[in-house]
Amino acid sequence: MTTIETINMAPEGATKSPAVEIRGLEVRYGAVVAVPELNLVVEEGDLVTLLGPSGCGKTTTLRCIAGLESPSGGEIRIHGDLVADGSWQMPPERRNVNMVFQTYAVWPHMSVLDNVAFGLRGQFPRSEVKDRAAEALKLVGLSGFEKRYGTELSGGQQQRVALARAVVTEPRVLLYDEPLSNLDAALREQMRFELRELHDRIGKTGIYVTHDQSESMVMSDKVVLMQDGRIVQEGRPRELYEEPRTAFAARFLGTANMWTGRVREQIGENSYVVELDNDALPCTVTCAGEARSRPGDRGTIAVRAERVTLADPGNPPSATAGTSSWQGRITRAAYLGSKYEYHVLVGDRSVRVEAPSRAVFEVDQDVLVHLSADAPVWIPGDAESR
Amino acid sequence: MGTSRERTQTVQVKNSRQNQQQGEKLQPRLFSARRFSGFRPITAIAAVVLIAVLVIVVVIPVAYVFYGATRSGTIGDPQTHFSWEPLATLLSSTYLVSFAGTILIGLLVATFSVIFGGIFAWLLTRTDMPFKKFFEIVVIAPLLLSPFIGAIAWLTLAAPNSGMINVLAENLGIAGPIVDITQPAGTIFVMCLYFLPYAYLFTSASLKNMDPVYEEASYMAGKSVLRTVFTVTLPLVRPALVSSFFLIAILSLGVFSIPAVLGGRTGFQPVAVLVYRAVEANSNFALASAIGVGVVALALVGTILYRWALRSSNRFTTITARGFRPRQMRIGWLKVPALVASFGYLALAIVLPNIALVIISLTPYTQTDVTNLTFTLEHWQAILDNRYAMMAFGNTMVVGLIAPTITIAIALLVSYIVERTKWRIRRVVDFVAVIPVAIPGIVFATGFIWAYVTTPIYATIWILIFAFVGSYIPHATRVINASFVQIDPALEEAARVNGAGHARVLSRITAPLAMPAVLSGWILVFLLVIRDVNTAIMLYSPRATILPVVTWNFVADGDVRSAAVVGLIETIILILVVVLARIIFRVRLTSVVGREMK
């Protein structure tokens, strides 16, 4: 069961109701449970990312907030107003939220201006509709494109139209459903920062769904990692990366080596020597988080590939206390431009290592594998998967 | 500025809260269905109108078919009570023979149509046969022509004594009638000519949607082209062949016009003709409905098989977004029989019948010497001077404009509710909108008579319009549904989150995006209405008659020449509409008939 964790970033958060509050959300399609029970609080002004593999329920959750999907149970509040519970749902057009869609959903039969102005018609006098739409287009850098049609725009431009259309109605919450996943890699990286900058300028509450971990890190104040319809861990991007609390979290964000093992002895308040399974390789771990274990407890060690260092056995660096040092042999070496990726065989264990491109080792070369005590993360518990 | 905006927001929020609560109380639970509540009035009105129309044009008439079939007397008899008698009559040998024969005819028509339609589909999508673009139009063109008029044409061509072919043969010294279209085989032949395009469309759609990578993989595995056809292509299109087989079998059950024209009063009488005769001869509406119930039962079995086959065809169909051009198989000398078959079909289905109709409409009497014909315009003049025919012409135009428009509007609402909302009622709407598929027009019409004989719409063109709307809702809905599938739901969701309710989403987003299908669907229904005689024959009245009925009455009176004139007028209208649609709306012939098959 997921516990509710609120990371308050707004100091006055205690007195105001949060922008979005989800309690016990449950979504079922017949016998299939997409979201079993989900609790989430998004404070006003925050940009929160729902991150997870496909099918983890992140898009379903977002669509429930928008009103495009019907929860089977639980409740959703926006600015304190109930918008959905298990038996009743406010139609999406009444919620005053807006959404940027994965496929952009720029209406092909309308001009760019008509697309953006759609949500304003009937709400404001004609001239003001046009002024506001033009202002929104200026914000996204598409002034001069008013008369074009959706089909005459590039993917990136359509993305901007979708954004302008979403912000122009001044929604209480802006929802982003994998907005960059249809763009090619180069444009996607550029748009990340641009989107973040735009969002900061608008200053709205935002919920951003993605399966791309680096996108989630650029885009959000807080990352909510989901798996199988549950929240696995939430926190600032750095916390999630540095202190994954489950093997899944460690694996999903970045490249991690994962080894199961058993605590052999406790050598400091938060330091353990762990004996790895199969070859009983000893490994020293210093935990930064709240993980507590006793000798004999089982768990998983997660080590980021870039936190493993390699050294020439003929020229070993002076070992510091707590550093695990193993003999190994390079089995694969791949040059990736900014770095090298190695596979090192230690006993019968393959260790993935990312090293700066200036440190060059050859395949079949013997090396020393170093792990400083603060490099590995100790994840107590027997389960490999969670 | 910031503060004032915030204030307006909170006010809006409060208002919307109040509206929801009111909305929730006012709206019937049926719609809110624990999902969406807070209807806008226009949405509720549209939904209520839709349901009212479906009840009037589908539910009530269908119910009355069954009601009528269990009455002891006919319409207007105040003493009638519930009785099994009309249904029991069906067990007599006359009807059992008729049912058995009708089923046999249906199976034979379906078999031949699927074989030849399938071969045409393969030739035109997978081989290097010449003139493919031309023949693609030739193969589907008969769908736009009236089978009823085709039957009249073939009667003039191949009636045992007076038929042009037999007269010509006699002149050449060949003894006896060489062809006799009035036999059941003639009925099967003419039906095949007009049902073959259905099989062609199903199969060619399946072939066009089939990713050629499967066939290429077979070539890579070292299989020859012919082995590939039999081991890969044919199994993959089998669901399309099977579903078109059942569709054709169902449709042939309800065809009244072809056997009625060809078989006359003496030959074998299929059940659809018996329905008509029961009313025409004895005004026995109870018996007509009872026979209708039997036809519906058969059609239901066929429909279940058809939908089953269609579902597996969807499973098999591998629609790829990328355009591909399948490898063209070189068929060599087989081009000769392929071309003979194609030109043969062109001649039998289109050229010969229309030449026959033109000749017969322009000649004063049966002439034996084809090389030296006497021509006259007197039949045409007579029709143009015939006030009854001209009134029917006007009615046809009115019905032809109103019925498709209502049908398409209903289909848009049905498709939107079924495909795009989560209202509980959508399952009922979906079901009601497909019922008429299993009810042949002539049977459906008996239900309309039972239901509406005492209402003011009876004996007006409105009962015709209602019957056509009811009959063709499934066709229109299929066309619109197919186009909805291609519209990314995000386009509509984007409108929802931008503050648009259902009515505005449908009118501003969905309907404009579905416009090509709306136009194609309209023209399809128009064509079906204009060529329909099976429904109209039961529901017309002297003041409210349409061209196909006029044609039928001429045929019934033995005046084939006048019938030919009216038939040609109908054909000209059909062609004009297709050409105008192509020029004005750029609606292609292939898209009109092709969309329904998706």
Side-chain angles (χ1 to χ4, degrees):
Chain A
M1 199 112 325
T2 318
T3 51
I4 308 158
E5 265 173 289
T6 314
I7 296 171
N8 264 334
M9 274 166 233
E12 74 279 15
T15 52
K16 281 168 70 179
S17 53
V20 177
E21 198 177 355
I22 301 174
R23 305 230 170 260
L25 178 72
E26 182 193 336
V27 185
R28 267 180 286 124
Y29 305 106
V32 183
V33 181
V35 178
E37 189 189 351
L38 187 131
N39 298 292
L40 178 71
V41 174
V42 178
E43 295 298 337
E44 186 158 7
D46 272 6
L47 183 49
V48 170
T49 298
L50 304 184
L51 175 70
S54 59
C56 74
K58 56 190 192 302
T59 296
T60 306
T61 305
L62 191 80
R63 290 170 61 84
C64 284
I65 300 168
L68 300 170
E69 204 86 46
S70 314
S72 329
E75 54 175 59
I76 301 174
R77 288 175 187 277
I78 297 176
H79 284 220
D81 299 325
L82 183 70
V83 296
D85 60 27
S87 59
W88 174 82
Q89 226 207 105
M90 185 192 283
E93 65 267 27
R94 297 269 177 80
R95 295 191 179 192
N96 196 14
V97 298
N98 214 322
M99 187 154 162
V100 180
F101 289 82
Q102 181 175 6
T103 53
Y104 323 132
V106 172
W107 298 304
H109 60 300
M110 293 185 194
S111 70
V112 165
L113 187 74
D114 286 338
N115 260 280
V116 177
F118 184 88
L120 301 172
R121 301 226 189 266
Q123 310 281 321
F124 299 101
R126 226 163 247 275
S127 61
E128 199 181 339
V129 166
K130 210 179 159 186
D131 290 347
R132 283 173 180 253
E135 200 183 321
L137 281 171
K138 196 173 149 198
L139 182 74
V140 298
L142 278 181
S143 293
F145 285 80
E146 286 86 350
K147 297 255 183 319
R148 298 265 202 108
Y149 278 78
T151 42
E152 300 167 345
L153 300 177
S154 71
Q157 288 168 332
Q158 289 188 41
Q159 187 62 73
R160 285 163 214 251
V161 174
L163 186 67
R165 187 178 65 188
V167 301
V168 80
T169 59
E170 304 189 336
R172 296 188 284 180
V173 182
L174 255 174
L175 307 171
Y176 300 89
D177 183 11
E178 309 213 16
L180 301 183
S181 63
N182 276 19
L183 299 174
D184 62 53
L187 191 55
R188 189 160 59 220
E189 300 217 346
Q190 178 202 330
M191 281 297 283
R192 275 177 198 160
F193 288 97
E194 212 169 295
L195 205 58
R196 176 74 219 234
E197 198 197 331
L198 268 170
H199 187 93
D200 289 346
R201 238 191 294 165
I202 301 155
K204 289 275 171 196
T205 310
I207 302 179
Y208 192 102
V209 159
T210 182
H211 60 264
D212 181 328
Q213 52 111 353
S214 49
E215 197 171 303
S216 75
M217 291 179 149
V218 175
M219 285 308 298
S220 51
D221 304 314
K222 184 167 110 175
V223 177
V224 174
L225 183 65
M226 293 180 65
Q227 183 193 18
D228 298 335
R230 291 166 205 276
I231 294 177
V232 176
Q233 193 174 349
E234 53 189 290
R236 291 172 182 278
R238 195 189 164 100
E239 277 171 29
L240 246 79
Y241 190 84
E242 300 281 340
E243 296 160 32
R245 280 207 302 274
T246 66
F248 168 77
R251 242 196 321 259
F252 197 79
L253 282 90
T255 314
N257 292 290
M258 313 284 285
W259 304 307
T260 53
R262 201 168 46 82
V263 175
R264 190 158 73 190
E265 57 180 314
Q266 186 162 4
I267 54 172
E269 194 198 345
N270 258 337
S271 295
Y272 310 96
V273 173
V274 174
E275 196 170 80
L276 301 183
D277 289 345
N278 298 334
D279 49 9
L281 213 59
C283 180
T284 311
V285 185
T286 306
C287 293
E290 61 224 57
R292 293 283 179 276
S293 289
R294 281 181 305 181
D297 286 358
R298 295 191 53 78
T300 305
I301 279 183
V303 194
R304 298 276 170 217
E306 73 273 16
R307 299 295 300 270
V308 185
T309 50
L310 297 180
D312 191 338
N315 183 20
S318 50
T320 49
T323 299
S324 311
S325 187
W326 304 328
Q327 290 279 346
R329 190 165 49 79
I330 307 270
T331 54
R332 270 173 196 284
Y335 177 62
L336 301 178
S338 62
K339 64 194 175 192
Y340 261 103
E341 186 169 331
Y342 295 109
H343 286 201
V344 184
L345 196 67
V346 177
D348 56 0
R349 185 183 305 280
S350 186
V351 180
R352 292 177 70 176
V353 182
E354 281 174 17
S357 16
R358 60 198 142 73
V360 182
F361 297 92
E362 303 296 330
V363 172
D364 285 338
Q365 190 179 340
D366 287 328
V367 288
L368 278 178
V369 178
H370 282 292
L371 280 179
S372 66
D374 61 348
V377 177
W378 175 241
I379 301 164
D382 206 19
E384 225 287 296
S385 60
R386 291 228 167 242
Chain B
M1 188 174 168
T3 48
S4 75
R5 271 184 196 169
E6 270 164 28
R7 208 172 301 139
T8 16
Q9 267 182 17
T10 42
V11 171
Q12 278 173 359
V13 170
K14 271 184 191 152
N15 282 344
S16 66
R17 285 285 292 160
Q18 281 166 5
N19 290 348
Q20 297 144 22
Q21 280 154 4
Q22 284 169 1
E24 201 174 19
K25 277 177 207 148
L26 289 174
Q27 297 307 322
R29 291 294 291 174
L30 192 57
F31 290 102
S32 65
R34 87 176 253 278
R35 292 299 186 211
F36 296 100
S37 66
F39 270 117
R40 297 180 178 191
I42 187 154
T43 310
I45 291 168
V48 167
V49 167
L50 170 71
I51 288 160
V53 172
L54 286 179
V55 166
I56 291 170
V57 303
V58 179
V59 178
I60 291 177
V62 170
Y64 267 97
V65 171
F66 291 89
Y67 170 84
T70 52
R71 290 281 103 187
S72 62
T74 194
I75 294 173
D77 182 351
Q79 302 292 316
T80 69
H81 53 84
F82 178 86
S83 161
W84 290 110
E85 198 197 317
L87 284 169
T89 316
L90 297 188
L91 296 175
S92 68
S93 65
T94 321
Y95 294 101
L96 289 179
V97 166
S98 175
F99 268 102
T102 307
I103 294 170
L104 184 64
I105 288 176
L107 294 179
L108 287 172
V109 168
T111 307
F112 290 127
S113 302
V114 167
I115 290 172
F116 287 102
I119 290 173
F120 277 127
W122 183 73
L123 284 172
L124 295 179
T125 57
R126 287 291 197 273
T127 72
D128 65 341
M129 196 184 113
F131 315 124
K132 275 193 290 197
K133 285 249 177 292
F134 171 68
F135 283 119
E136 204 169 336
I137 293 168
V138 167
V139 176
I140 55 174
L143 277 183
L144 309 181
L145 301 173
S146 163
F148 168 55
I149 295 163
I152 297 170
W154 271 99
L155 190 68
T156 67
L157 275 168
N161 296 314
S162 58
M164 291 180 189
I165 294 171
N166 288 323
V167 170
L168 199 65
E170 209 176 306
N171 281 2
L172 295 171
I174 305 163
I178 57 167
V179 284
D180 183 357
I181 203 76
T182 61
Q183 295 302 311
T187 297
I188 293 172
F189 167 72
V190 175
M191 279 194 184
C192 282
L193 289 181
Y194 288 93
F195 283 128
L196 185 151
Y198 287 95
Y200 165 79
L201 279 168
F202 268 73
T203 317
S204 69
S206 176
L207 282 169
K208 282 175 187 165
N209 286 335
M210 198 173 90
D211 195 327
V213 78
Y214 300 124
E215 284 156 316
E216 285 161 5
S218 170
Y219 301 139
M220 292 299 107
K223 300 281 183 264
S224 71
V225 177
L226 269 181
R227 279 206 62 171
T228 301
V229 167
F230 284 102
T231 56
V232 177
T233 317
L234 206 55
L236 283 175
V237 298
R238 191 167 52 208
L241 297 174
V242 174
S243 55
S244 57
F245 177 90
F246 287 120
L247 179 74
I248 292 167
I250 300 163
L251 290 176
S252 69
L253 285 178
V255 175
F256 149 82
S257 54
I258 295 173
V261 169
L262 298 177
R265 284 162 190 277
T266 51
F268 170 74
Q269 309 271 304
V271 286
V273 178
L274 290 182
V275 172
Y276 174 72
R277 300 280 181 232
V279 171
E280 185 216 22
N282 314 314
S283 292
N284 193 340
F285 285 95
L287 178 60
S289 295
I291 302 168
V293 167
V295 179
V296 170
L298 274 181
L300 268 180
V301 174
T303 308
I304 290 164
L305 292 168
Y306 163 70
R307 291 189 61 102
W308 162 77
L310 205 64
R311 193 165 315 137
S312 46
S313 93
N314 289 340
R315 180 160 52 83
F316 269 46
T317 306
T318 50
I319 296 173
T320 47
R322 61 200 168 93
F324 52 76
R325 216 168 155 264
R327 180 185 147 137
Q328 305 290 299
M329 177 196 163
R330 294 207 186 89
I331 51 171
W333 62 270
L334 280 169
K335 277 177 198 162
V336 177
L339 282 175
V340 168
S342 303
F343 278 114
Y345 183 66
L346 171 65
L348 295 176
I350 301 172
V351 178
L352 280 180
N354 285 297
I355 287 180
L357 286 179
V358 170
I359 289 177
I360 203 164
S361 75
L362 291 174
T363 51
Y365 46 83
T366 307
Q367 297 171 37
T368 50
D369 189 357
V370 188
T371 52
N372 184 20
L373 292 170
T374 313
F375 288 107
T376 172
L377 281 173
E378 67 176 272
H379 306 300
W380 284 85
Q381 193 58 50
I383 293 297
L384 294 178
D385 291 343
N386 184 330
R387 279 184 49 209
Y388 182 64
M390 284 303 104
M391 181 195 69
F393 178 82
N395 284 340
T396 306
M397 291 293 106
V398 172
V399 172
L401 287 176
I402 296 175
T405 308
I406 298 177
T407 311
I408 289 294
I410 295 295
L412 266 172
L413 288 174
V414 167
S415 293
Y416 186 83
I417 289 174
V418 172
E419 298 285 323
R420 295 295 204 256
T421 74
K422 291 174 175 167
W423 302 350
R424 272 192 191 161
I425 198 168
R426 74 186 192 278
R427 292 183 203 286
V428 182
V429 169
D430 190 24
F431 177 70
V432 169
V434 297
I435 291 175
V437 164
I439 320 261
I442 196 161
V443 177
F444 206 19
T446 64
F448 271 89
I449 298 170
W450 278 103
Y452 298 118
V453 69
T454 57
T455 65
I457 65 160
Y458 192 73
T460 69
I461 60 168
W462 285 99
I463 197 163
L464 286 169
I465 289 170
F466 282 21
F468 288 140
V469 170
S471 295
Y472 299 124
I473 278 176
H475 301 70
T477 310
R478 269 192 74 107
V479 172
I480 304 288
N481 267 348
S483 75
F484 274 25
V485 170
Q486 290 167 345
I487 297 173
D488 182 357
L491 291 168
E492 290 152 317
E493 288 167 359
R496 296 297 303 280
V497 293
N498 269 284
H502 283 299
R504 190 159 172 235
V505 171
L506 179 56
S507 65
R508 293 292 312 278
I509 309 290
T510 318
L513 289 174
M515 199 40 82
V518 168
L519 292 172
S520 295
W522 194 94
I523 288 165
L524 175 74
V525 176
F526 176 86
L527 298 175
L528 291 169
V529 165
I530 293 287
R531 27 175 278 193
D532 188 288
V533 66
N534 298 316
T535 309
I537 199 68
M538 303 289 281
L539 293 173
Y540 80 95
S541 54
R543 289 186 165 276
T545 188
I546 54 177
L547 285 180
V549 175
V550 174
T551 318
W552 168 255
N553 285 340
F554 280 128
V555 174
D557 294 344
D559 185 356
V560 184
R561 281 156 218 286
S562 300
V565 173
V566 183
L568 282 171
I569 292 173
E570 273 183 61
T571 306
I572 291 165
I573 296 172
L574 291 171
I575 291 170
L576 270 181
V577 166
V578 171
V579 170
L580 282 178
R582 177 87 174 87
I583 294 170
I584 299 171
F585 299 118
R586 303 181 178 199
V587 177
R588 284 170 179 277
L589 179 65
T590 43
S591 78
V592 169
V593 290
R595 275 175 196 278
E596 205 200 340
M597 303 299 157
K598 276 181 189 153

